[in-house]
Amino acid sequence: MSLSYIVSAKKSTVISKTEVGNFTDPKNLNLILNRGNRLDVQLLTPEGLKSVCEIPVYGRITNLQLFRPKNAETDYLIVLTEKLQMAVLAYENSKIVTKAAGNIADRVGRLTDYGTIITVHKSGLIAVRLYDGTLKLVEWEKHSDLKHFNVRFDSINVIDVKFMETKDEIYRMAYISEDNQGRHLRVVDLGMNDKEFRAFSSQENISNDASFIIPVPQPIGGVIVLGMDTILYHPDDRRNPVSCPVSNNTSFTAYSKVDVEGNRYLLSDNKGRLLMLLLNVDDSIREMRVEHLGLTSTADTVKYLDNAVAFIGSRLGDSQLIRLLDSPNPDGSFVEILETYVNIGPIRDMIHVETEGQTQLITVSGAHKDGSLRVVRNGVGIDESNNADCPGVENIFVLRYKSELDNYVIASTDFQTHCIKVVEDDLTAGGLLDFNENLPTIFAGCLFKNAELVVQVTKNGVQLMKEGKTSVFWRPESQELITKAAANVLHGQIVIAAKDELYYLRCLEDGDSLEIQEISKRVMSDEISCVDISNEKDDGSKEANFVVVTLWNSFKLESLTITDLVTRMEAFLPTKVVARSVIATYIDGINYLLVALGDGVLLYYTHDLQNAQLGEVKRTSVGTRPPSMRRIWTNRRQHVFVCSDRPVIVFSHNRKLVFSNVNLKLVNAICSINSSHFRDSLVLADKTSIIFGTIDDIQKIHVRTYPMGESVRRIAHQKSTGTYAVLSTREDVGGVVSTSASTTAVCKSGYEKKAQDESSAPAVSEISSLMILDQHTFKVQHTYFFEEREVSISVISGQLGQDPKFYYIVGTSIINPEETESKQGKLIVFQVDPEDRSKLRFISQKEIRGTPYSINILNGKLLVAINSAVRMFEWDPDTGLRHECASFNNITALSVKVMGDQILVADLMRSMKLLTYRSMEGTLDEVAKESNCMWMAASDFITAEKVIGAELQHNLFVCEVDKTRAAADDSRYPLEAIGFFYLGEMVNVMRRCSLVTPPDDSLIQVSQPIMFGTVDGSIGLVVQIDEKWKKLLLNVEKAIADSIKNCLQIDHSTYRQFSMKKRVEPATGFVDGDLIESILDIERSAALQILSRVPASGDGIPTDPAEILKIIEDLSRIH
Amino acid sequence: RCPDLNTAGMVSTNIARRQMDKDILNPNKRIVSNWLDERFIFSRFRPIKTINEHDETYTTCSFSIDDEHVILGLFSGDVHWINIESGADESVTNCHNSSITHIEPSEDGTMLLTSSAFVRPLSALWRLGHAMELLHIFNEDSTVKFSNSSLDRIIGTFSTKATLYDTESKHALNSFKCGDFDEPRHTKNIASLSPCDRLVFNDGVLWDVRTSGQPLHVFDILKEKTFNGCFHPHGNQVIINTEVFDIRNYRLLHHVPALDQCKIVFNSTGNMMIASMCQDPDAEQNIDTIGSTSFRTFDTSDYSVITTHDMKKPILGLSTSHSDTMVSVVEQHKQLASEYIVGSASQCKIFSIGRHRVAGDDDGEEEEEENEED
């Protein structure tokens, strides 16, 4: 039985709860963000938000609340998790301190539908509304468990409850209750002796969707109640309430007090509008006014910070830091967006695409106006700072001419050379000395420390130049054209390759004259394809002492001493492709020889210089074009950059080479630059331009956003036509066309809405569509609109039967709101014109009786989950789809996955089962079934007999076909649950794929990667780890868990235990990769200390802490 | 004028729409959406098995804690364990000498309580192992039930008196009987403990479990014939025949005529319940006592009827499985024989919850592997 290693590739990005206060210091204003299982503490500075720390929390955080305890100088933070663990945290001496913690769950009671609410009285009394009909009061003392008791509300359904601010020390609360008559506002006093509420005042039948209570600070007092049509002010004495109308259907989502006195409040609604509520106060509230400020992302939380700056936390879109303006900007909005925090959640669908060697995930994220597609890649990012049009550059050099810093960029195309002067960020073309700009440059550089000597190598020869002196010129005696050159500029060493001749030159400045000395010459056995010079530690400040060449036809690699060009070592490359670039370098204490081949393969050897020997050859792929390699300097370290259509940077990790993808499409040439403006930067060339930028040191996930402006839901990719198909719905208000993606298509077809009768009120309807997008530009090529009430549900691309054409198959359902289940739907076959992608052909359609929740293709046949059945359809190009067979016994089949002939079906509540397709009989047979009740969210195959599922209560589980137990009468095996894990996030999609190819030289092998996307916007990875490592990893997990105390003061095993309603299972079969890899963030000696407690885990398994740390580092390289 | 109910932003009742939108709902609406999914499941039932292989009449049924077996109580006082998958009769014990009225397995699966109709001992506690081992008899109590939050206590009912026992020592700890009433207020009184085991409900009277002197509250009996009452598993309500009361302030919350004279069973979450007017197999056969031929499912958020499933035959017993996948119903398919005549008059039907009654294959290519009954 193998072990599942689960780790996040990208942590959650949804922000739905935030708090503002003085947490880290009485003088600091902090914004605290709920990031799922972490607290992110930010500090407000004049430059914006700055991260202070991130606090891991053993649980899914549901609530945050800052409050000021009596006699404290800073605010304390209350954290509550889904499993009802609560903690009171403070920040002292740059550390998080748990003041009190405990579980506040009751044995009985129904958790309310209206959400958990925490409200704190100014005296420090904490009240939590968890269960229907009761309010829980929590008392805490430092360093002890929390004590809690319940007080009964008069009503069972309480929508919102808040402590009010009163003049005297009484516990006065306001709450909204709901009964058959409607919603009512009640103000009650809490008696702490009898633990009962006493009615103070009430207001019956307030707005039917009143859902928020805002306590107004003293001396105004009272509460504001937000409803959909009205805002109500209810004073805390018996004066008359005040109300103010709101434009219809404003469903509020959050509010924030703007000033201490409580005269102004920021409000947000579910359409992304930001409003300001102004109170006109004069001993009491006279009137209230609402002003529209502008649009932001749809906010789940709004927090006013300071100086007209506010934070918008969003679940459906990117979070934003905004500034409120005094006067409107040109588009009439009072909102200026200062910063955007990328959010890829909720991930509604996700596909894995490999194009041009780039591995990426495309997620379908967000909803409504914040709907978007996101391209997620793993790699090193380039921060572009400047960009100049300059097409066709193949080679780039940087000169430091008469300067301390770089000031010239030499960009060579296939025909000529551009000599560009760099002054600040200004680029000017202009010659330099006798620089030959009419030929492509093979090499250019400034020689020696004083940097006044310039050398240029072209095919015709080597030219040495200095201001005020006559340039000297050297060319091979044989008059052969120069093909390659390598140089050490600080010592004036140049090695030239001309056909099969190899020359070693030295440049000198001898008094008044310049000189190029030919030190040695050698004729190789074959034409030279590439050359490099280097020394012991590849240190450019020392003289190079050896040359490496590769030869054209013999595929030979030779290393020669530089002075006499005598071969010290030779080897044959294990290839029949010509080497295009060679580099001898030294990384992390090891000498390497890297050889890039014409087909995009990179070979690498360890290089023993002492004995002139090469180690074993290893290979990796860096694209499809002939790559070239350059040494670059970034972050004060030398790296090798491989230019190609899938550029990579060679790092070393753990004395092993790591090839990190660079988040760029194509790089022809690159060079480091350190000019007065571009500090520690890079200059690189792609097809069309020269780009200046800096580079991140670490490889991480990069996200690119393509806003769609409507609710995108599903995506499929078709390689043959280079398109994506995206299913989407948009709201159409009375035929007013919004500017969402589907309306911008080059071509449109399908249903057209009839012009509306002008007299009738504008009807809000939903329009569902299929969009065809270009895979490079993400521009909408074609939109097909479905009929009213026909909603597109599922889509797949593929070939059917013997038909060689590629189709998109879309499943739709007619959704009538009055039906509990849809009875009608369609399967529609579309074809994108391979010539003109804006043309979409409607090929065929098949009526079905139900909702096609999921579509897949098995053996060229269409497999569709339709309501309670899984059905198989055959394709005939002439007659269309024909129903072949079906399998029933589901409540609602939500997803079908295919591996070989096996089919995995996930049901609404009946967990998972395996079917097999018997092509001879034409039947779908049930082969294994899990018998427990699991409400499924996502699922996939690990192997044909092992599956992973995610359920709605945020747990994961793994099931395996148990063949040891006798099959039932109908030859069905049980599908036995063997792994349980509480993830704390709802998984929405699983795919068998990986963003990173695991390195070959890893100590630990992983297999069967599955990536998953969650509603909270995190991307995770589950891999299988071989049995023999199981014990070690579990021991390591335990050692780390035992050594790290969590602020909730609960065990890691309690945190990760599977819990679904009443059912609790210990976490088994999974290893928490996030916990294990957290050891890489702590100091090495401390990490080794922890790992020294790991007991021996079997034969051949390392026990040395340093070795174990290396294994963990290897694991961290898989995502 | 009452403000109009605004339907915007409400969770759809159509499951396809809910499935499409569940990932963008806010956490509170997701709870509502999950509740509606549960409601959807409890709107359809499909017969998957019929058990009628015994010579005696089945009188009551219950599921074993792992839902692998259905435990059937017979007219003869025998208790059978039937494997649902294979249909094998895996264990039989003669527990009582008259028809079994109540079977309740403990939540940890180690014990079982049985009750019978009229021959003493009326109730017993059993240890479950390879065979059922008698641990204790409750001579007088017509129904015994386990406490809810732990298995420490057992509450027994003898006419209008409720007795609380310690499970370990089997000693009676306390008894609850309201002296104000001589006659039973309920036609079929079954005392029960509240979900938190702090309260006792017995014959229309609410008690604090610690004091048997003074009752906390006496609920009004609004009808002449009032069946028994029970706590709602969520802990805030007590359901007395057709009335639902708030147990915190004793206010009437709902009046549900459809619950009249019904036996109620809850699903695992307590969100849904199934009710049926069960016929008493021992009662004299006359028009009045004939139970209903259908069972109904209710949504306990508002006690609305989700669906009515007509069996066309009188129902004797009703039980739901612990994982919300099955319902077992004992139905009478022949005239009940008198106790002197041997012969089976009932069968136990097991329904799968959430599935359509009829195989939904419109294209007619394939029949279900499990055959439809009827």
Side-chain angles (χ1 to χ4, degrees), chain A residues 1025-1088:
Chain A
I1025 284 182
D1026 198 64
E1027 177 76 40
K1028 70 172 186 173
W1029 297 103
K1030 186 174 173 179
K1031 204 170 165 193
L1032 174 75
L1033 288 181
L1034 291 171
N1035 285 338
V1036 169
E1037 184 187 43
K1038 184 160 188 322
I1040 299 172
D1042 288 349
S1043 64
I1044 298 173
K1045 282 264 173 294
N1046 192 266
C1047 63
L1048 282 187
Q1049 299 185 336
I1050 57 166
D1051 291 339
H1052 181 260
S1053 55
T1054 313
Y1055 166 36
R1056 290 301 188 186
Q1057 81 192 2
F1058 177 102
S1059 73
M1060 195 189 90
K1061 289 170 187 148
K1062 284 178 196 158
R1063 185 175 170 200
V1064 175
E1065 305 274 355
T1068 47
F1070 281 89
V1071 178
D1072 185 350
D1074 285 346
L1075 179 80
I1076 286 188
E1077 289 173 26
S1078 70
I1079 201 164
L1080 300 175
D1081 299 335
I1082 63 179
E1083 204 202 330
R1084 190 177 158 89
S1085 60
L1088 292 176

Side-chain angles (χ1 to χ4, degrees), chain A residues 110 133 348 820 888-889 988, chain B residues 20 23 234 248 355 368:
Chain A
R110 196 179 87 79
R348 310 191 70 186
T820 56
F888 300 92
N889 289 338
N988 216 13
Chain B
M20 287 295 102
D23 45 5
H234 293 159
R248 298 137 352 119
R355 286 158 57 192
E368 284 260 353

Side-chain angles (χ1 to χ4, degrees), chain A residues 60 107-116 132-134 152-156 180-181 205-209 228-229 249 300 315-316 346-348 366-368 711 713-714 766 791-793 813-822 846 849 851 853 868 871 873 882-892 894 908-910 922-924 926 929 931-933 935-937 952-954 965 968-970 972 986 988 1015 1061-1062, chain B residues 1-9 12-32 34-35 37-44 46 48-49 66 68 85-86 107 148-150 194-198 232-237 245-251 253-254 267-271 300-302 322-326 351-356 359-370:
Chain A
R60 174 188 175 82
R107 287 206 57 98
V108 282
R110 196 179 87 79
L111 289 169
T112 168
D113 296 349
Y114 301 106
T116 307
D132 274 348
T134 57
R152 295 192 310 226
F153 285 118
D154 227 17
S155 159
I156 286 180
N180 300 336
Q181 273 79 47
N205 294 331
I206 56 171
S207 170
N208 231 326
D209 21 57
M228 222 181 238
D229 304 318
N249 283 333
D300 274 64
R315 197 164 45 83
L316 300 177
I347 299 175
R348 310 191 70 186
H368 310 306
S711 294
R713 210 144 34 193
R714 295 280 180 272
E766 244 190 8
V791 179
S792 51
I793 304 283
S813 172
I814 312 294
I815 295 185
N816 289 317
E818 55 276 7
E819 287 175 342
T820 56
E821 189 178 56
S822 297
K846 166 95 183 157
R849 296 206 181 166
T851 305
Y853 288 103
S868 63
R871 295 178 187 274
F873 294 88
R882 190 189 70 85
H883 186 258
E884 186 187 355
C885 57
S887 165
F888 300 92
N889 289 338
N890 307 292
I891 289 173
T892 300
L894 294 182
L908 176 68
M909 75 161 303
R910 296 277 181 94
T923 56
L924 285 170
E926 206 169 283
K929 186 177 177 180
S931 57
N932 283 306
C933 155
W935 294 77
M936 296 303 294
L952 288 186
Q953 305 286 311
H954 309 139
R965 272 167 61 179
D969 309 342
D970 41 12
R972 246 184 5 208
M986 190 172 116
N988 216 13
V1015 168
K1061 289 170 187 148
K1062 284 178 196 158
Chain B
R1 189 184 73 93
C2 290
D4 295 333
L5 198 68
N6 199 323
T7 53
S12 172
T13 50
N14 188 306
I15 184 165
R17 171 44 51 90
R18 282 203 304 280
Q19 281 302 320
M20 287 295 102
D21 287 347
K22 70 174 182 218
D23 45 5
I24 55 167
L25 294 177
N26 74 33
N28 306 345
K29 290 232 178 89
R30 209 180 296 155
I31 297 175
V32 178
N34 294 349
W35 183 300
D37 285 347
E38 222 174 295
R39 191 183 155 111
F40 171 77
I41 291 196
F42 276 84
S43 70
R44 40 181 70 176
R46 154 158 220 224
I48 53 168
K49 198 146 223 141
D66 56 6
E68 264 181 45
E85 185 82 9
S86 66
E107 252 185 44
N148 297 301
S149 60
S150 67
S194 68
C196 54
D197 294 328
R198 294 205 190 105
H232 190 289
H234 293 159
N236 284 329
Q237 296 165 2
F245 293 96
D246 188 331
I247 55 165
R248 298 137 352 119
N249 51 22
Y250 317 123
R251 231 182 262 164
L253 294 171
H254 301 275
N267 78 338
S268 68
T269 58
N271 295 346
T300 69
S301 64
D302 56 359
H322 302 86
S323 60
D324 293 344
T325 52
M326 290 174 283
F351 292 86
S352 176
I353 301 175
R355 286 158 57 192
H356 267 301
D361 191 2
D362 33 272
D363 294 311
E365 262 87 355
E366 200 176 325
E367 244 312 298
E368 284 260 353
E369 56 180 48
E370 287 149 331

Side-chain angles (χ1 to χ4, degrees), chain A residues 488-537:
Chain A
N488 179 328
V489 285
L490 280 177
H491 294 92
Q493 296 172 295
I494 301 177
V495 172
I496 296 293
K499 212 169 177 192
D500 54 354
E501 295 161 10
L502 190 64
Y503 295 92
Y504 169 42
L505 313 175
R506 289 203 81 137
C507 301
L508 297 171
E509 187 182 8
D510 188 11
D512 280 349
S513 65
L514 306 174
E515 193 186 342
I516 300 174
Q517 285 181 344
E518 188 178 313
I519 307 286
S520 54
K521 173 189 173 184
R522 161 108 188 256
V523 178
M524 305 301 291
S525 60
D526 190 0
E527 221 171 296
I528 297 163
S529 63
C530 30
V531 61
D532 188 39
I533 62 173
S534 183
N535 57 22
E536 205 74 29
K537 291 196 166 171

Side-chain angles (χ1 to χ4, degrees), chain A residues 599-611:
Chain A
D599 57 352
V601 168
L602 188 69
L603 303 174
Y604 57 105
Y605 301 85
T606 53
H607 187 196
D608 181 349
L609 288 167
Q610 236 64 54
N611 305 313

